[in-house]
Amino acid sequence: MLATPLETATLPPGIRSRFVRGVNGLDIHILEAGYAPAGRPLVLLLHGFPEIAYSWRKVMPALAEAGFHAVAPDQRGYGRTTGWSPDFDTDLRPWRTLNAVRDALGLVAALGHRSIHAVVGNDFGAGIAAWCALVRPDVFRSLALMTPFGGPPDLPFATDGKEPAPPATPTIHEALAALPRPRKHYQWYYATRPANAQIMHCRQGVHNFLRAYYHHKSADWKGNKPHRLAGWTAEELAKMPTYYIMDLFDDMPAAVGKEMPSAAEIAANQWLTEAELAVYAGEWQRTGFQGGLNWYRSRTSGTFEGELQLFAGRTIDVPSIFIGGMSDWGIYQTPGAFERTQEVCTRMVSCQLLDGAGHWVQQEQAGQVIPLLLDFLRQQPAA
């Protein structure tokens, strides 16, 4: 059965919901603004987890007013886009990183563009945006990142005649579990079979789970004071909050539920009102979380790293900008990735960390993000 567009009443004026059908096996649901007149420069906006295209609602009208055609898709596994399996026991090949790039490239082509003005991404969407610019710089002609991208994985080098290095002992997961306060990494938790059911059937309900999750990773949670970590060790990783390095026996609803904002804090939240949160909750309650979680399964399995090593040593040579939140632990969760981003992106014109923003920077501080993004986009030549 075909999905229906998002209700107009939930969208800011000037944004419409529709489908682009037959794209790499998907019927992709998009939100778009600035779609008339035809021929405007296209800006593609890619969301992360647990978000949907709706996360760009505060940025899109400003892009349209500035003369751009802003398009935000629900990515594979998310929202109203269909054509993907919601099962745990499914073929993970469609959740390969390069297939997400193929999804984006197919959408651009379906919209009638040989190249676009810019691709913009946050969280998981930042990684896909970066790969788009790395693999097809002729199409994705500039890049705005809101989460670090550490570059392609290295290819083993000068190994001829040498014995393979033995696996690390203990593993990082064993070391985390052996800490005085036993811990585990959230990405590997998200890759487990129980994760979807634990979220969908959590005691507080999906709406309040999302409220706590978004709050905990935002600048509203005063415990978010991120800093660089010395390395990928259990002791260093355990310095991060429990939405990243969870207590060993917690599921994610239990982890974030401990930091549920008060009724007064919820009422005072202007960047994610209860009505806006209800849009997210309604979508996730309808689809379940497994589609989004399969991206974590694909990534943590290591199964598809070999094809990414085809691009070992490659850099991103289109103009780029980084706009992040000063209170975002995501900038430092992989030690060295933030610095590496600025090396991999050889034409990065600016790197900004915004006060008053955590992980959801384009929602938390849209008023700061918009002028930075527009200034960057206006510097880029027309296609």
Side-chain angles (χ1 to χ4, degrees), residues 100-137:
V101 174
R102 172 63 178 84
D103 291 344
L105 184 65
L107 176 60
V108 167
L111 292 172
H113 291 265
R114 303 273 182 202
S115 66
I116 69 170
H117 201 75
V119 58
V120 183
N122 187 30
D123 190 82
F124 155 76
I128 302 309
W131 276 103
C132 285
L134 189 149
V135 174
R136 292 302 303 266

Side-chain angles (χ1 to χ4, degrees), residues 81-296:
T81 289
T82 59
W84 50 272
S85 169
D87 299 330
F88 183 89
D89 295 306
T90 191
D91 183 358
L92 283 181
R93 286 177 295 178
W95 275 268
R96 291 161 25 248
T97 295
L98 292 185
N99 200 45
V101 174
R102 172 63 178 84
D103 291 344
L105 184 65
L107 176 60
V108 167
L111 292 172
H113 291 265
R114 303 273 182 202
S115 66
I116 69 170
H117 201 75
V119 58
V120 183
N122 187 30
D123 190 82
F124 155 76
I128 302 309
W131 276 103
C132 285
L134 189 149
V135 174
R136 292 302 303 266
D138 57 320
V139 177
F140 302 96
R141 298 173 57 254
S142 66
L143 169 69
L145 294 176
M146 297 176 179
T147 304
F149 172 69
D154 290 332
L155 198 63
F157 187 74
T159 57
D160 183 34
K162 299 179 181 177
E163 291 295 323
T169 305
T171 68
I172 189 63
H173 308 294
E174 293 167 339
L176 284 169
L179 290 172
R181 178 184 175 183
R183 305 288 282 277
K184 63 187 176 188
H185 197 287
Y186 82 106
Q187 291 187 9
W188 278 263
Y189 162 74
Y190 276 153
T192 64
R193 183 180 295 273
N196 178 59
Q198 288 171 343
I199 299 171
M200 286 296 292
H201 305 298
C202 62
R203 182 175 60 181
Q204 64 264 55
V206 169
H207 183 100
N208 284 339
F209 162 72
L210 291 171
R211 172 57 73 187
Y213 194 89
Y214 291 137
H215 172 77
H216 202 7
K217 294 184 75 169
S218 76
D220 295 346
W221 189 65
K222 301 310 177 187
N224 278 328
K225 300 185 185 301
H227 56 82
R228 287 171 173 81
L229 300 176
W232 185 258
T233 66
E235 292 76 14
E236 285 295 295
L237 295 181
K239 295 176 181 179
M240 289 193 283
T242 53
Y243 54 78
Y244 279 144
I245 306 300
M246 305 164 64
D247 286 314
L248 183 61
F249 299 108
D250 277 352
D251 56 25
M252 189 59 82
V256 300
K258 297 171 186 177
E259 305 299 336
M260 180 71 180
S262 67
E265 289 175 309
I266 294 171
N269 189 316
Q270 296 300 305
W271 63 267
L272 186 59
T273 66
E274 281 291 273
E276 291 172 322
L277 183 62
V279 176
Y280 286 106
E283 295 299 275
W284 287 113
Q285 286 167 333
R286 184 175 53 79
T287 64
F289 288 83
Q290 193 59 61
L293 297 178
N294 278 345
W295 290 106
Y296 288 95

